């Protein structure tokens, strides 16, 4: 039995537009001997939008998801920064406000559940780094990423607000984040240092403030390209979707061609650990990324 | 750890005089930094011991006046509150003092904060009420009423959040986190009569809360720990509670999450775009949708794209029931 056991909250995108995120996550877990129980009962986290409509309802639904991790007696891991933020915000709100917790539990009781606050919530990135350990990961690398310059893109919701995350993200400093850089190094890739690594990708206003969204994405992509990155890597599928899918339209807004593959963090790890091409799923990218597998394994 | 001793370091500072310089430049200053030194002490040392022309705003020295907000290596700080050694540790002894917004620099750390004050004024940052000049009794506030406005009332208008906000940089019409926090502060005040007006302003597309990109830079930047984005979320909710929210792409996007969740438990990625934008608005997304379909990002478990394309969570009935009994707002 593995000493590393987690309940996985997949989120919506891993079940829909980014199947490669789920398959590469499971491949990494298998390669490292991490035991994963998928929370098939878990619903959408509200993605920081449902909260804007009805904050209480969002707390109730997020608390329900956490209940299922608690039932297994496991830490809940997330593979999306926004799932991490919203679940953690609900946990924090309920754990620090007995009155709110009681009101939420009153609703949960109607479906036979109770939120207790016994499960921690952690992004898979930090489970890998802080629980499993970079040295242990380094030992399992079969395909070193030494030919790649990799630009880490942290994504807002794993690092800000630091007060909320510091217990689950190893005290990552949002102004000087290092976890992804260190992970890239452990896989023998070359982390690209660029100032947009901890900035916003603009995903959340894609529909209602499209220009803002495109400019923010463009700033980040161009910064990575101009600092000689071969690819970007992010722990957040929403950052991935925005930065991978919209490079054409963003290029028009920014007035220049933009072409750079954007990998999910688990895809990068799966690649280095020798997972199959199918599991890594680079074919699901809009911006051509399939060559990375060939180059890495050549 | 160096914390207990004095450290000899080179501090860099952004220098620029809009009246005489074509371009800004960076100057270096060697100095000893002690464990209790604040960034303000560093700036004073530059001015008093190195170059009397170095300019910055300062007044209270107690984290109250909000004058000395600057950035250090991109991190917003209140100079009179931020310990210098802490920053040197954070940035490996290599720090550059910068104004909050380089493009607004007038002289060194001093910027033209006009846009900040203009937006602040737009939200009517005061209690709007007909005041009886000779009231028979005071207008009492309960503890709960006071607590609702408490932390937002602690804002010192330092501009740390405002100039950390990337949405404002991309869209100069956006009110930004400081003005929106002030809008919340006075709208929640039971003595105030301009709440509806303020909520309407903050509901405006391109101007109000719906342009917030949710990056949490403001929450991270605030030296008074006010958490502006939390106030922005409250304003979002108040727009629905008070019936101010109009049906538009942003409000439908927020409310529309429930459509997919009732059906499968998950957000329906395709439906949310269609529902929020409307049929006529979909043309903008066709190219992207085609690309996503080509790369396999849009599924068709049922054989037809968009139809029953999403798996269903276990115990979906619980989510349906919880939505039914817990939903408090309507669009």
């Amino acid at each position: 039995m593995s000493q590393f056991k987690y309940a996985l909250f997949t989120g919506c995108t891993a079940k829909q537009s980014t199947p490669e995120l789920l398959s590469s996550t499971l491949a990494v877990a298998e390669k490292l001997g991490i035991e994963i129980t998928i929370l098939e009962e878990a619903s959408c986290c509200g993605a920081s939008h449902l909260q804007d409509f009805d904050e209480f309802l969002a707390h109730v639904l997020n608390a329900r998801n956490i209940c299922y991790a608690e039932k297994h007696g496991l830490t809940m891991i997330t593979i999306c920064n926004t799932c991490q933020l919203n679940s953690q915000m609900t946990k924090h709100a309920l754990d620090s406000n007995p009155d709110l917790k009681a009101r939420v539990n009153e609703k949960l009781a109607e479906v036979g559940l109770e939120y207790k606050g016994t499960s921690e919530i952690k992004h898979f990135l930090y489970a890998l780094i802080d629980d499993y350990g970079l040295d242990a990961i380094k030992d399992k690398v079969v395909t070193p990423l030494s030919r790649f310059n990799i630009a880490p893109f942290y994504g807002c919701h794993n690092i800000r607000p630091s007060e909320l995350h510091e217990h689950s993200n190893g005290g990552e400093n949002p102004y000087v984040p290092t976890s992804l850089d260190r992970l890239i190094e452990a896989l023998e890739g070359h982390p690209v240092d660029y100032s947009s690594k901890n900035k916003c990708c603009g995903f959340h206003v894609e529909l209602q403030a499209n220009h803002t969204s495109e400019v923010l994405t463009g700033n980040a992509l161009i910064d990575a390209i101009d600092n000689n990155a071969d690819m970007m890597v992010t722990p957040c599928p929403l950052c991935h979707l925005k930065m991978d899918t919209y490079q054409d339209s963003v290029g028009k807004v920014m007035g220049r061609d933009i072409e750079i593959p954007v990998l999910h963090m688990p895809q990068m790890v799966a690649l280095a650990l020798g997972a199959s091409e199918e599991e890594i799923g680079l074919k699901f990218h809009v911006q051509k990324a399939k060559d990375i597998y060939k180059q890495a394994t050549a | 750890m160096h914390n207990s001793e004095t450290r000899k370091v080179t501090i860099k500072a952004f220098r620029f005089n809009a009246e005489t310089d074509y371009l800004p430049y960076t100057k270096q200053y060697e100095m000893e930094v002690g464990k209790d030194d604040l960034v303000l002490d560093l700036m004073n040392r530059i001015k008093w011991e190195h170059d009397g022309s170095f300019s910055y705003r300062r007044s209270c020295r107690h984290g109250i006046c909000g004058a000395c907000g600057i950035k250090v290596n991109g991190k917003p700080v209140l100079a009179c509150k931020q310990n210098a050694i802490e920053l040197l540790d954070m940035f490996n002894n290599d720090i550059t003092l910068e104004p909050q917004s380089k493009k607004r620099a007038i002289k060194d750390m001093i910027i033209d904060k006009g846009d900040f004050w203009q937006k602040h004024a737009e939200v009517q940052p005061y209690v709007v009420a007909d005041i009886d000049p000779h009231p028979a009794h005071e207008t009492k506030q309960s503890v709960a009423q006071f607590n609702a406005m408490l932390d937002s009332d602690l804002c010192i208008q330092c501009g740390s959040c405002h100039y950390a906000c990337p949405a404002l940089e991309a869209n100069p019409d956006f009110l930004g986190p400081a003005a929106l926090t002030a809008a919340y502060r006075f709208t929640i005040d039971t003595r105030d009569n301009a709440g509806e007006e303020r909520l309407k302003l903050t509901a405006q597309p391109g101007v109000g809360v719906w342009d917030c990109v949710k990056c949490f830079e403001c929450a991270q930047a605030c030296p008074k720990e006010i958490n502006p984005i939390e106030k922005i979320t409250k304003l979002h909710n108040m727009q629905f509670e008070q019936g101010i929210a109009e049906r538009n792409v942003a409000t439908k996007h927020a409310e529309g999450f429930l459509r997919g969740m009732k059906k499968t438990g998950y957000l329906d990625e395709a439906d949310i775009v269609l529902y929020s934008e409307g049929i006529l608005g979909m043309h903008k997304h066709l190219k992207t949708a085609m690309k996503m379909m080509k790369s396999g990002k849009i599924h068709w478990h049922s054989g037809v794209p968009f139809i029953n394309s999403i798996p269903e969570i276990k115990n979906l009935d619980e989510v349906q029931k919880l939505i039914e009994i817990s939903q408090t707002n309507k669009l």
Side-chain angles (χ1 to χ4, degrees):
Chain A
M1 214 172 71
S2 172
Q3 65 176 120
F4 301 104
K5 290 173 74 172
Y6 302 102
L8 173 64
F9 174 28
T10 65
C12 301
T13 50
K15 291 276 188 174
Q16 293 179 60
S17 54
T18 62
E20 72 279 9
L21 171 60
L22 186 55
S23 64
S24 59
T25 298
L26 297 177
V28 169
E30 198 201 319
K31 292 280 178 196
L32 297 178
I34 294 171
E35 221 175 294
I36 298 265
T37 305
I38 296 182
L39 295 174
E40 298 289 3
E41 301 89 350
S43 74
C44 174
C45 73
S48 85
H49 296 287
L50 180 61
Q51 287 77 350
D52 289 345
F53 172 60
D54 196 326
E55 203 176 12
F56 177 70
L57 175 59
H59 280 320
V60 171
L61 294 170
N62 277 315
R64 175 184 168 275
N65 293 341
I66 304 169
C67 284
Y68 280 98
E70 292 181 352
K71 276 190 169 186
H72 291 286
L74 295 171
T75 291
M76 180 166 108
I77 55 167
T78 56
I79 46 177
C80 169
N81 289 21
T82 300
C83 292
Q84 175 65 27
L85 173 79
N86 288 311
S87 306
Q88 193 70 269
M89 286 213 297
T90 290
K91 180 176 171 56
H92 177 74
L94 268 54
D95 291 352
S96 60
N97 184 343
D99 172 56
L100 178 65
K101 185 174 163 183
R103 284 197 291 134
V104 166
N105 270 331
E106 197 182 301
K107 302 294 179 190
L108 290 172
E110 298 276 326
V111 296
L113 294 169
E114 185 193 356
Y115 171 87
K116 298 191 183 79
T118 50
S119 278
E120 294 301 317
I121 303 166
K122 187 183 274 204
H123 191 286
F124 190 41
L125 170 67
Y126 298 103
L128 288 178
I129 292 181
D130 298 328
D131 297 352
Y132 199 88
L134 286 173
D135 288 340
I137 293 173
K138 203 176 163 76
D139 287 343
K140 306 236 166 163
V141 171
V142 296
T143 309
L145 304 182
S146 47
R147 62 173 65 205
F148 300 116
N149 293 338
I150 306 172
F153 191 78
Y154 283 82
C156 302
H157 293 171
N158 248 0
I159 57 175
R160 281 183 294 268
S162 54
E163 215 178 56
L164 180 75
H165 295 298
E166 62 189 3
H167 301 294
S168 55
N169 74 359
E172 186 103 84
N173 184 327
Y175 296 106
V176 200
T178 61
S179 61
L180 265 180
D181 289 78
R182 288 183 288 129
L183 180 62
I184 293 165
E185 274 170 2
L187 307 175
E188 297 179 44
H190 309 286
V192 173
D193 192 17
Y194 67 121
S195 62
S196 300
K197 65 164 84 167
N198 54 354
K199 301 290 193 296
C200 174
C201 76
F203 173 88
H204 288 285
V205 292
E206 159 62 29
L207 294 184
Q208 68 255 34
N210 188 258
H211 180 75
T212 298
S213 180
E214 302 278 80
V215 168
L216 297 189
T217 312
N219 288 343
L221 292 170
I222 286 171
D223 197 6
I225 291 168
D226 288 352
N227 281 285
N228 213 20
D230 300 313
M231 65 176 95
M232 297 175 80
V233 66
T234 176
C236 180
L238 306 184
C239 296
H240 162 88
L241 276 176
K242 180 68 209 186
M243 299 199 298
D244 174 54
T245 310
Y246 292 90
Q247 292 188 13
D248 273 0
S249 57
V250 167
K252 277 184 197 128
V253 172
M254 305 306 282
R256 62 179 270 189
D257 287 339
I258 295 174
E259 263 180 55
I260 186 167
V262 182
L263 269 63
H264 301 277
M265 180 278 294
Q267 283 183 302
M268 172 182 73
V269 182
L271 181 65
L273 297 182
S276 72
E277 193 171 3
E278 193 62 27
E279 288 168 317
I280 300 166
L282 292 165
K283 67 172 182 189
F284 289 110
H285 290 221
V286 168
Q287 181 61 45
K288 199 168 163 235
K290 274 189 284 192
D291 293 349
I292 291 170
Y293 183 82
K294 285 192 205 95
Q295 288 163 7
T297 53
Chain B
M1 287 300 284
H2 306 274
N3 283 18
S4 57
E5 44 189 87
T6 317
R7 200 181 297 182
K8 189 167 184 182
V9 289
T10 304
I11 304 292
K12 294 179 204 153
F14 170 99
R15 300 297 310 268
F16 180 62
N17 182 340
E19 284 181 3
T20 56
D21 297 331
Y22 283 107
L23 289 169
Y25 54 98
T26 305
K27 271 194 113 169
Q28 305 194 352
Y29 305 94
E30 273 190 24
M31 64 178 76
E32 302 264 330
V33 178
K35 69 177 173 59
D36 295 326
D37 277 341
L38 303 167
V39 173
L40 180 61
D41 296 316
L42 269 46
M43 294 203 293
N44 286 339
R45 212 163 288 151
I46 293 174
K47 187 171 186 70
W48 296 339
E49 295 171 18
H50 294 266
D51 182 349
S53 75
F54 182 63
S55 301
Y56 48 101
R57 290 193 178 107
R58 66 192 191 280
S59 180
C60 79
R61 216 197 69 99
H62 283 85
I64 286 297
C65 76
C68 67
I70 65 164
K71 280 183 183 170
V72 178
N73 294 24
K75 174 180 159 55
V77 301
L78 202 57
C80 72
K81 205 181 165 205
Q82 174 65 54
N83 179 277
I85 291 285
E86 199 181 294
L87 279 183
L88 289 166
D89 282 343
M90 193 180 293
F91 295 110
N92 206 14
N93 288 325
D94 183 5
I95 63 172
T96 306
L97 313 180
E98 304 156 346
Q100 287 176 320
S101 169
K102 287 180 191 170
K103 71 180 181 196
R104 295 176 174 87
I106 296 171
K107 194 156 186 249
D108 304 331
M109 300 299 115
I110 298 173
I111 64 163
D112 177 353
K113 231 169 131 177
D115 68 310
F116 176 93
W117 294 116
Q118 185 204 328
K119 281 169 181 165
H120 197 241
E122 273 174 42
V123 302
Q124 303 183 72
Y126 37 79
V127 172
V128 177
D130 296 324
I131 301 290
D132 177 357
H134 304 289
H137 51 80
E138 62 272 56
T139 312
K140 278 189 178 167
Q141 294 278 286
S142 72
V143 173
Q145 286 167 339
F146 178 71
N147 283 340
M149 71 170 95
L150 179 62
D151 64 339
S152 51
D153 196 47
L154 300 177
C155 176
I156 55 173
Q157 287 93 41
C158 67
S160 290
C161 64
H162 186 85
Y163 295 111
C165 174
L168 255 172
E169 283 298 297
N171 168 18
D173 294 332
F174 179 47
L175 282 167
L180 289 171
T181 297
Y184 168 77
R185 152 68 185 91
F186 292 98
T187 301
I188 200 76
D189 193 316
T190 50
R191 300 163 295 187
D192 175 81
N193 296 326
E196 194 178 325
E197 217 177 309
R198 272 191 222 96
L199 281 179
K200 278 184 178 157
L201 174 68
T202 65
Q204 255 180 49
V207 173
V209 290
W210 298 100
D211 272 52
C212 165
V213 294
K214 304 183 179 294
C215 64
F216 286 74
E217 291 275 9
C218 57
Q220 198 66 46
C222 179
K224 306 298 279 186
E225 293 169 18
I226 290 170
N227 198 350
I229 189 170
E230 181 193 69
K231 310 302 176 288
I232 291 176
T233 302
K234 287 189 192 302
L235 285 170
H236 278 117
N237 273 258
M238 285 158 77
Q239 287 170 13
F240 292 104
E241 284 156 16
Q242 302 187 22
I244 302 285
E246 286 176 13
R247 288 180 75 80
N248 59 37
V249 59
T251 54
K252 282 194 281 180
H253 185 219
E255 180 250 358
F257 269 70
L258 291 177
R259 289 164 54 95
M261 290 177 81
K262 281 178 191 165
K263 231 166 101 183
T264 67
Y266 295 114
L267 160 72
D268 185 332
E269 289 173 339
D271 175 76
I272 191 93
V273 179
L274 180 60
Y275 175 69
S276 309
E277 293 278 23
I279 301 272
L280 292 175
M282 280 306 282
H283 69 276
K284 288 180 277 187
H285 302 282
L286 284 178
K287 227 173 132 187
T288 305
M290 291 305 289
K291 275 190 238 163
M292 289 178 78
M293 220 180 282
K294 212 174 132 196
S295 64
K297 277 195 179 320
I298 293 173
H299 290 236
W300 46 77
H301 296 264
S302 63
V304 187
F306 306 117
I307 308 294
N308 297 329
S309 58
I310 301 161
E312 201 174 280
I313 62 163
K314 271 191 197 166
N315 305 353
L316 174 62
D317 56 324
E318 293 173 5
V319 169
Q320 292 165 335
K321 169 103 197 225
L322 287 172
I323 292 173
E324 191 192 313
I325 61 173
S326 314
Q327 184 173 343
T328 47
N329 289 336
K330 278 203 173 66
L331 176 61

